[in-house]
Amino acid sequence: MRAFLGLLAAAVLAAAAPAKAERFEFVALGDTAYNLPQDLPVYDALIRKINQARPAFSIHVGDTWGAEPCTEANHRYVLAQFAKFDHPVVYTPGDNEWVDCRRPEVLEAYHRYMAGKATPQDLGLLLPLRSFDGVWESRGFADPLASLRTIRGTYFGRPQSLGGRTMPLVRQTDVMPDTPTAENTRWERGGVVFATLSVPGSGNGVTLNDEVRLREAVARNRANVEWIRAAFAEAKAKNAKAVVLALQAGLFVEGEGGDFTGKALRGGTDGPFYWTVFAIRDEAAKFGRPVLLINGDFHDLVIDRPFMVSQGEAKPPLYGNITRLQVYGAPELKAVKIRVDTDTPWVFGFEPLY
């Protein structure tokens, strides 16, 4: 009996023990190679610089191109670019890769227009697309959902990262087979739980003029909320020291957020990012340890605490444990190196890399 009680106590202590601490570094980047072909050598140089830093892995938060056709050939090219990283790369898709996909002939005319070389035929194609009927019927767009299916098949067909060296990932579809979001992944390193979320810019893919696309957005939004909860549940079960969430969309804009968040929520509390922000905010508050949110979309380096709500000088702020890192973006093809040290209260440190 004593032996049994001893084993039981040891098991309880093992379950409650904190995840093993480890100092390591990883890299975050996004919104890369917009201006072709001139951005390609700059991007290649950035990849070499990242490889020289020897991170444990890199996270690309989407927008792997600018205004380019969303073809399978272009996705295969991006896959080859990711293979130039000599370490694991975890990717979460941006809006340019599917939500904002335009028809190839529209993009060709647009590029000539931007270069000051538009022909009368180009203007005859582009101008009607700006009319109410053109916008309402999405005449300039390719099929966004077909592009999303291509992304899921190209990058997320296996439970592993991309990159020259891969690492195992848990896809949401592996543990929640009724969800559509294979692009939502999770992994752990050194006492930290990492997860990606399928939240692109351009309104999170929400549109009121296309019922099929709206149903997709609702299903994906529900899956994202479930994945946020699952990430924090995993962190609690593993007694993790911190959580990192990565997505593409910029969730905040300038202005006061009132008692909901410190900064104004993009689209407001009736907008397409409300449930994502609400879930992150409340799960992070219950977790109580450092949480890092990484996003791209706005092409400007920002490190702040947009969730934090002041309670005056006598009480600590609400949601102050959530830090946001918004990465660089084209035309500044730069990355950010994040140092992780779970023996410190703040866990995360940041350094530009270029």
Side-chain angles (χ1 to χ4, degrees):
M1 184 65 175
R2 288 180 180 175
F4 171 75
L5 291 175
L7 289 172
L8 180 61
V12 171
L13 288 172
K20 183 179 179 182
E22 177 191 355
R23 295 179 183 178
F24 64 95
E25 297 174 344
F26 70 96
V27 167
L29 71 161
D31 300 289
T32 49
Y34 266 52
N35 306 293
L36 301 181
Q38 58 265 38
D39 277 357
L40 293 180
V42 182
Y43 187 32
D44 283 342
L46 178 62
I47 293 172
R48 289 193 296 270
K49 192 74 174 181
I50 293 171
N51 288 341
Q52 290 170 8
R54 303 181 65 82
F57 51 83
S58 288
I59 301 176
H60 194 295
V61 290
D63 275 14
T64 53
W65 57 62
E68 295 297 322
C70 299
T71 61
E72 185 170 352
N74 277 348
H75 283 297
R76 293 292 175 187
Y77 180 82
V78 170
L79 203 60
Q81 289 291 97
F82 284 148
K84 295 179 181 178
F85 291 76
D86 64 6
H87 52 273
V89 177
V90 182
Y91 163 61
T92 186
D95 50 16
N96 285 0
E97 290 94 287
W98 69 278
V99 179
D100 294 340
C101 290
R102 262 67 172 187
R103 290 159 35 207
E105 64 272 22
V106 170
L107 288 172
E108 291 173 6
Y110 171 77
H111 286 308
R112 286 191 291 269
Y113 174 79
M114 293 302 294
K117 300 178 180 179
T119 67
Q121 291 78 11
D122 292 334
L123 297 177
L125 173 63
L126 294 174
L127 289 177
L129 301 181
R130 301 177 63 182
S131 68
F132 177 85
D133 287 342
V135 176
W136 176 253
E137 297 173 5
S138 302
R139 293 176 183 172
F141 286 81
D143 183 350
L145 299 188
S147 297
L148 181 57
R149 289 191 294 271
T150 299
I151 286 170
R152 288 170 173 166
T154 302
Y155 303 97
F156 304 102
R158 298 179 180 180
Q160 64 184 41
S161 72
L162 308 170
R165 175 168 54 86
T166 63
M167 67 180 179
L169 300 175
V170 177
R171 299 169 299 181
Q172 187 171 13
T173 49
D174 296 327
V175 293
M176 301 178 184
D178 291 336
T179 60
T181 41
E183 66 271 25
N184 283 353
T185 61
R186 189 176 69 223
W187 69 104
E188 299 169 39
R189 177 72 184 245
V192 180
V193 171
F194 294 80
T196 60
L197 300 166
S198 187
V199 185
S202 295
N204 199 10
V206 175
T207 178
L208 297 181
N209 62 336
D210 188 321
E211 293 180 12
V212 175
R213 289 184 60 189
L214 183 59
R215 285 196 296 270
E216 183 283 325
V218 170
R220 182 169 39 80
N221 183 67
R222 187 178 299 276
N224 283 330
V225 170
E226 291 177 356
W227 200 233
I228 292 166
R229 288 173 168 169
F232 282 99
E234 184 75 5
K236 182 179 179 180
K238 298 292 180 64
N239 201 8
K241 295 291 188 70
V243 169
V244 177
L245 303 174
L247 49 80
Q248 196 247 340
L251 302 177
F252 298 94
V253 293
E254 291 302 320
E256 297 293 327
D259 60 1
F260 183 66
T261 51
K263 291 192 74 170
L265 172 62
R266 184 180 179 186
T269 54
D270 294 322
F273 303 112
Y274 171 73
W275 293 109
T276 299
V277 170
F278 200 168
I280 293 172
R281 189 199 75 169
D282 278 23
E283 290 295 330
K286 289 185 288 185
F287 180 61
R289 295 178 177 180
V291 174
L292 176 62
L293 173 67
I294 305 173
N295 73 269
D297 198 16
F298 286 169
H299 299 237
D300 186 27
L301 177 65
V302 176
I303 301 170
D304 63 357
R305 292 191 288 176
F307 288 83
M308 188 173 67
V309 175
S310 173
Q311 296 193 97
E313 297 180 357
K315 294 181 180 180
L318 299 172
Y319 323 120
N321 62 318
I322 312 172
T323 299
R324 186 265 299 261
L325 165 63
Q326 181 174 282
V327 300
Y328 294 100
E332 289 192 291
L333 269 63
K334 301 177 180 180
V336 180
K337 181 167 63 176
I338 299 97
R339 294 189 178 91
V340 180
D341 185 352
T342 56
D343 285 332
T344 64
W346 51 86
V347 177
F348 303 108
F350 307 95
E351 179 183 333
L353 180 61
Y354 55 92

Coordinates of all heavy atoms in Angstrom, one line a residue, residues 248-304:
Q248 N -2.0 35.9 -39.5 CA -1.7 37.0 -40.4 C -2.3 38.3 -40.1 O -1.6 39.4 -40.1 CB -2.0 36.6 -41.8 CG -1.3 37.5 -42.9 CD -2.2 38.4 -43.7 OE1 -3.4 38.2 -43.7 NE2 -1.7 39.4 -44.3
A249 N -3.5 38.4 -39.8 CA -4.2 39.7 -39.8 C -3.8 40.6 -38.6 O -3.6 40.2 -37.5 CB -5.7 39.4 -39.6
G250 N -3.7 41.9 -39.0 CA -3.6 42.9 -38.0 C -4.9 43.1 -37.3 O -5.9 43.4 -38.0
L251 N -5.0 42.9 -36.0 CA -6.3 42.9 -35.3 C -6.6 44.2 -34.7 O -7.8 44.4 -34.2 CB -6.2 41.8 -34.2 CG -5.9 40.4 -34.6 CD1 -5.8 39.5 -33.4 CD2 -6.9 39.9 -35.6
F252 N -5.7 45.2 -34.6 CA -6.0 46.4 -34.0 C -5.6 47.6 -34.9 O -4.8 47.5 -35.8 CB -5.1 46.5 -32.7 CG -5.4 45.4 -31.7 CD1 -4.7 44.3 -31.7 CD2 -6.5 45.6 -30.8 CE1 -5.0 43.2 -30.7 CE2 -6.8 44.6 -29.9 CZ -6.0 43.4 -29.8
V253 N -6.3 48.7 -34.6 CA -6.1 50.0 -35.3 C -5.9 51.1 -34.2 O -6.1 50.8 -33.1 CB -7.2 50.3 -36.3 CG1 -7.3 49.3 -37.4 CG2 -8.6 50.4 -35.5
E254 N -5.5 52.2 -34.7 CA -5.3 53.4 -33.7 C -6.7 53.7 -33.1 O -7.7 53.7 -33.8 CB -4.7 54.5 -34.5 CG -3.3 54.3 -34.9 CD -2.4 54.0 -33.7 OE1 -2.5 54.6 -32.6 OE2 -1.5 53.1 -33.9
G255 N -6.6 54.1 -31.9 CA -7.8 54.5 -31.1 C -7.9 53.7 -29.8 O -7.2 52.7 -29.6
E256 N -8.8 54.1 -29.0 CA -9.1 53.5 -27.7 C -10.0 52.4 -27.8 O -11.1 52.5 -28.5 CB -9.6 54.5 -26.7 CG -8.6 55.7 -26.4 CD -7.4 55.2 -25.7 OE1 -7.5 54.2 -24.9 OE2 -6.3 55.8 -25.9
G257 N -9.8 51.3 -27.1 CA -10.6 50.1 -27.2 C -11.6 50.0 -26.0 O -12.4 49.1 -25.9
G258 N -11.6 51.0 -25.1 CA -12.6 51.0 -24.0 C -12.2 50.0 -23.0 O -11.0 49.7 -22.7
D259 N -13.2 49.3 -22.4 CA -12.9 48.3 -21.4 C -12.8 46.9 -22.1 O -12.6 45.9 -21.3 CB -14.0 48.3 -20.3 CG -15.4 48.0 -20.9 OD1 -15.5 47.8 -22.1 OD2 -16.3 48.0 -20.1
F260 N -12.8 46.8 -23.4 CA -12.7 45.5 -24.1 C -11.2 45.2 -24.3 O -10.7 44.2 -23.9 CB -13.5 45.5 -25.4 CG -13.4 44.2 -26.1 CD1 -14.0 43.0 -25.6 CD2 -12.8 44.1 -27.3 CE1 -14.0 41.8 -26.2 CE2 -12.7 42.8 -28.0 CZ -13.3 41.7 -27.4
T261 N -10.5 46.1 -25.0 CA -9.1 46.0 -25.2 C -8.5 47.4 -25.1 O -9.2 48.4 -25.2 CB -8.7 45.4 -26.6 OG1 -9.5 46.1 -27.6 CG2 -9.1 44.0 -26.6
G262 N -7.2 47.5 -24.9 CA -6.6 48.8 -24.8 C -6.6 49.6 -26.1 O -7.0 50.8 -26.1
K263 N -6.3 49.0 -27.2 CA -6.3 49.6 -28.5 C -7.6 49.2 -29.2 O -8.3 48.2 -28.8 CB -5.2 49.2 -29.4 CG -3.8 49.7 -28.9 CD -2.7 49.6 -30.0 CE -2.9 50.5 -31.2 NZ -1.8 50.5 -32.1
A264 N -8.0 50.0 -30.2 CA -9.3 49.8 -30.9 C -9.2 48.5 -31.7 O -8.2 48.2 -32.4 CB -9.6 51.0 -31.8
L265 N -10.2 47.7 -31.6 CA -10.3 46.5 -32.4 C -10.7 46.8 -33.8 O -11.6 47.5 -34.1 CB -11.4 45.6 -31.7 CG -11.8 44.3 -32.5 CD1 -10.6 43.3 -32.6 CD2 -13.0 43.6 -31.8
R266 N -9.9 46.2 -34.7 CA -10.2 46.4 -36.2 C -11.5 45.9 -36.5 O -11.8 44.7 -36.3 CB -9.1 45.7 -37.0 CG -9.2 45.9 -38.5 CD -8.0 45.1 -39.1 NE -8.0 45.2 -40.5 CZ -7.1 44.5 -41.3 NH1 -6.3 43.7 -40.8 NH2 -7.2 44.6 -42.6
G267 N -12.4 46.7 -37.0 CA -13.8 46.3 -37.4 C -14.7 46.4 -36.2 O -15.9 46.2 -36.4
G268 N -14.2 46.7 -35.0 CA -15.1 46.9 -33.9 C -15.6 45.6 -33.3 O -15.3 44.5 -33.8
T269 N -16.5 45.6 -32.3 CA -17.0 44.4 -31.7 C -18.1 43.7 -32.5 O -18.5 42.6 -32.2 CB -17.6 44.7 -30.3 OG1 -18.6 45.8 -30.4 CG2 -16.5 45.2 -29.4
D270 N -18.5 44.3 -33.6 CA -19.4 43.6 -34.6 C -18.6 43.1 -35.8 O -19.2 42.6 -36.8 CB -20.5 44.6 -35.1 CG -21.4 45.0 -33.9 OD1 -21.7 44.1 -33.1 OD2 -21.8 46.2 -33.9
G271 N -17.3 43.3 -35.8 CA -16.5 43.0 -37.0 C -16.0 41.6 -37.0 O -16.2 40.7 -36.1
P272 N -15.2 41.3 -38.1 CA -14.8 39.9 -38.3 C -13.7 39.3 -37.4 O -13.5 38.1 -37.4 CB -14.3 39.9 -39.8 CG -13.8 41.3 -39.9 CD -14.7 42.2 -39.1
F273 N -13.1 40.2 -36.6 CA -12.0 39.7 -35.8 C -12.4 39.6 -34.3 O -11.6 39.3 -33.4 CB -10.7 40.6 -35.9 CG -10.2 40.7 -37.3 CD1 -10.3 41.9 -38.0 CD2 -9.7 39.6 -38.0 CE1 -9.9 42.0 -39.4 CE2 -9.2 39.7 -39.3 CZ -9.3 40.8 -40.0
Y274 N -13.6 39.9 -34.0 CA -14.1 40.0 -32.6 C -13.9 38.7 -31.8 O -13.3 38.7 -30.7 CB -15.6 40.5 -32.6 CG -16.2 40.4 -31.2 CD1 -15.9 41.3 -30.2 CD2 -17.1 39.4 -30.9 CE1 -16.5 41.3 -29.0 CE2 -17.7 39.3 -29.7 CZ -17.4 40.3 -28.7 OH -18.0 40.2 -27.5
W275 N -14.3 37.6 -32.4 CA -14.3 36.4 -31.6 C -12.9 35.9 -31.5 O -12.5 35.3 -30.4 CB -15.2 35.3 -32.3 CG -16.6 35.7 -32.3 CD1 -17.4 36.0 -33.3 CD2 -17.4 35.7 -31.1 NE1 -18.7 36.3 -32.9 CE2 -18.7 36.1 -31.5 CE3 -17.2 35.4 -29.8 CZ2 -19.8 36.2 -30.6 CZ3 -18.3 35.5 -28.9 CH2 -19.5 35.9 -29.3
T276 N -12.0 36.1 -32.4 CA -10.6 35.8 -32.3 C -10.0 36.5 -31.1 O -9.3 36.0 -30.2 CB -9.8 36.1 -33.6 OG1 -10.4 35.3 -34.6 CG2 -8.3 35.7 -33.4
V277 N -10.2 37.8 -31.1 CA -9.6 38.7 -30.0 C -10.2 38.3 -28.7 O -9.5 38.2 -27.7 CB -9.8 40.2 -30.4 CG1 -9.4 41.1 -29.2 CG2 -8.9 40.5 -31.6
F278 N -11.5 38.2 -28.6 CA -12.2 37.8 -27.4 C -11.7 36.5 -26.8 O -11.4 36.4 -25.6 CB -13.7 37.7 -27.6 CG -14.6 37.8 -26.4 CD1 -16.0 38.0 -26.6 CD2 -14.1 37.8 -25.1 CE1 -16.8 38.1 -25.5 CE2 -14.9 37.9 -24.0 CZ -16.3 38.1 -24.2
A279 N -11.5 35.5 -27.7 CA -11.0 34.2 -27.2 C -9.6 34.3 -26.7 O -9.2 33.8 -25.6 CB -11.1 33.2 -28.3
I280 N -8.7 35.0 -27.5 CA -7.3 35.2 -27.0 C -7.3 35.9 -25.7 O -6.6 35.5 -24.8 CB -6.5 35.9 -28.1 CG1 -6.4 35.0 -29.3 CG2 -5.1 36.3 -27.6 CD1 -5.7 35.7 -30.5
R281 N -8.0 37.0 -25.6 CA -8.0 37.8 -24.4 C -8.4 37.0 -23.2 O -7.7 37.1 -22.1 CB -9.0 39.0 -24.6 CG -8.9 40.1 -23.5 CD -10.2 40.9 -23.5 NE -11.3 40.2 -22.9 CZ -12.4 40.8 -22.6 NH1 -12.6 42.1 -22.8 NH2 -13.4 40.1 -22.1
D282 N -9.5 36.3 -23.2 CA -10.0 35.6 -22.0 C -9.2 34.4 -21.7 O -8.9 34.1 -20.5 CB -11.5 35.3 -22.2 CG -12.4 36.5 -21.9 OD1 -11.8 37.6 -22.0 OD2 -13.5 36.3 -21.5
E283 N -8.8 33.6 -22.7 CA -7.9 32.4 -22.4 C -6.6 32.9 -21.9 O -6.1 32.2 -20.9 CB -7.8 31.6 -23.7 CG -9.0 30.9 -24.2 CD -9.5 29.8 -23.2 OE1 -8.7 29.2 -22.5 OE2 -10.7 29.6 -23.1
A284 N -6.0 33.9 -22.4 CA -4.7 34.4 -21.9 C -4.9 34.9 -20.4 O -4.0 34.7 -19.6 CB -4.2 35.5 -22.7
A285 N -6.0 35.6 -20.1 CA -6.2 36.1 -18.7 C -6.3 34.9 -17.8 O -5.8 34.9 -16.7 CB -7.5 36.9 -18.7
K286 N -7.0 33.8 -18.2 CA -7.1 32.6 -17.3 C -5.7 31.9 -17.2 O -5.4 31.4 -16.1 CB -8.2 31.7 -17.9 CG -9.6 32.2 -17.7 CD -10.6 31.1 -18.1 CE -10.6 30.9 -19.6 NZ -11.7 30.0 -20.1
F287 N -5.0 31.9 -18.2 CA -3.6 31.3 -18.2 C -2.7 32.0 -17.3 O -2.0 31.4 -16.5 CB -3.1 31.3 -19.7 CG -1.7 30.7 -19.8 CD1 -1.5 29.4 -19.5 CD2 -0.7 31.4 -20.3 CE1 -0.2 28.8 -19.6 CE2 0.6 30.9 -20.5 CZ 0.8 29.5 -20.1
G288 N -2.7 33.4 -17.3 CA -2.0 34.2 -16.4 C -0.5 34.3 -16.6 O 0.2 35.0 -15.8
R289 N 0.1 33.6 -17.6 CA 1.5 33.7 -17.8 C 1.7 34.4 -19.2 O 0.8 34.7 -19.9 CB 2.1 32.2 -17.8 CG 2.0 31.6 -16.5 CD 2.5 30.1 -16.5 NE 2.5 29.5 -15.2 CZ 2.9 28.3 -14.9 NH1 3.4 27.5 -15.9 NH2 2.9 27.8 -13.7
P290 N 3.0 34.6 -19.5 CA 3.2 35.4 -20.8 C 2.6 34.7 -22.0 O 2.7 33.5 -22.2 CB 4.7 35.5 -20.8 CG 5.2 35.4 -19.4 CD 4.2 34.4 -18.8
V291 N 2.0 35.6 -22.8 CA 1.4 35.2 -24.1 C 2.0 36.1 -25.2 O 1.9 37.4 -25.0 CB -0.1 35.2 -24.1 CG1 -0.7 34.9 -25.5 CG2 -0.6 34.2 -23.0
L292 N 2.5 35.6 -26.2 CA 2.9 36.4 -27.4 C 2.1 36.2 -28.6 O 1.9 35.0 -29.0 CB 4.4 36.0 -27.7 CG 5.0 36.7 -28.9 CD1 5.1 38.2 -28.7 CD2 6.4 36.2 -29.2
L293 N 1.5 37.2 -29.1 CA 0.7 37.2 -30.4 C 1.6 37.8 -31.5 O 2.0 38.9 -31.4 CB -0.6 37.9 -30.2 CG -1.4 38.1 -31.5 CD1 -1.9 36.8 -32.0 CD2 -2.5 39.1 -31.3
I294 N 1.8 37.0 -32.6 CA 2.6 37.4 -33.7 C 1.6 37.6 -34.9 O 0.9 36.7 -35.2 CB 3.7 36.4 -34.1 CG1 4.6 36.2 -32.9 CG2 4.5 37.0 -35.2 CD1 5.6 35.0 -33.1
N295 N 1.7 38.8 -35.6 CA 0.9 39.0 -36.8 C 1.7 39.8 -37.8 O 2.8 40.4 -37.5 CB -0.4 39.7 -36.5 CG -0.2 41.2 -36.1 OD1 0.0 41.5 -35.0 ND2 -0.2 42.1 -37.1
G296 N 1.3 39.8 -39.0 CA 1.8 40.6 -40.1 C 0.8 41.6 -40.6 O 0.2 42.3 -39.8
D297 N 0.6 41.6 -41.9 CA -0.5 42.4 -42.5 C -0.3 43.8 -42.7 O -0.6 44.4 -43.8 CB -1.8 42.1 -41.8 CG -3.1 42.4 -42.5 OD1 -3.0 42.5 -43.8 OD2 -4.1 42.5 -41.9
F298 N 0.3 44.5 -41.7 CA 0.4 46.0 -41.8 C 1.8 46.5 -42.2 O 2.0 47.7 -42.2 CB 0.0 46.6 -40.4 CG -1.5 46.6 -40.2 CD1 -2.0 46.9 -39.0 CD2 -2.4 46.3 -41.2 CE1 -3.4 46.9 -38.7 CE2 -3.8 46.3 -41.0 CZ -4.3 46.6 -39.8
H299 N 2.7 45.6 -42.4 CA 4.0 45.9 -42.9 C 4.8 46.9 -42.1 O 5.5 47.8 -42.6 CB 3.9 46.5 -44.4 CG 3.3 45.5 -45.3 ND1 3.9 45.2 -46.5 CD2 2.1 44.9 -45.3 CE1 3.1 44.3 -47.2 NE2 2.0 44.2 -46.5
D300 N 4.7 46.8 -40.8 CA 5.4 47.8 -39.9 C 5.7 47.1 -38.6 O 4.8 46.5 -38.0 CB 4.5 49.0 -39.7 CG 5.2 50.1 -38.9 OD1 6.4 50.2 -39.0 OD2 4.5 50.9 -38.2
L301 N 7.0 47.2 -38.2 CA 7.4 46.6 -36.9 C 6.7 47.3 -35.7 O 6.9 48.5 -35.5 CB 8.9 46.6 -36.8 CG 9.4 46.0 -35.5 CD1 9.2 44.6 -35.3 CD2 10.9 46.3 -35.3
V302 N 6.0 46.5 -34.9 CA 5.4 47.0 -33.7 C 5.5 46.0 -32.6 O 5.3 44.8 -32.8 CB 3.9 47.3 -33.9 CG1 3.3 47.8 -32.6 CG2 3.7 48.4 -35.0
I303 N 5.9 46.4 -31.4 CA 5.9 45.6 -30.2 C 5.2 46.3 -29.1 O 5.6 47.4 -28.7 CB 7.4 45.2 -29.8 CG1 8.1 44.5 -30.9 CG2 7.3 44.3 -28.5 CD1 9.6 44.3 -30.6
D304 N 4.0 45.8 -28.7 CA 3.2 46.6 -27.8 C 2.3 45.6 -27.0 O 2.4 44.4 -27.1 CB 2.4 47.7 -28.5 CG 1.4 47.1 -29.5 OD1 1.4 45.9 -29.7 OD2 0.7 47.9 -30.1

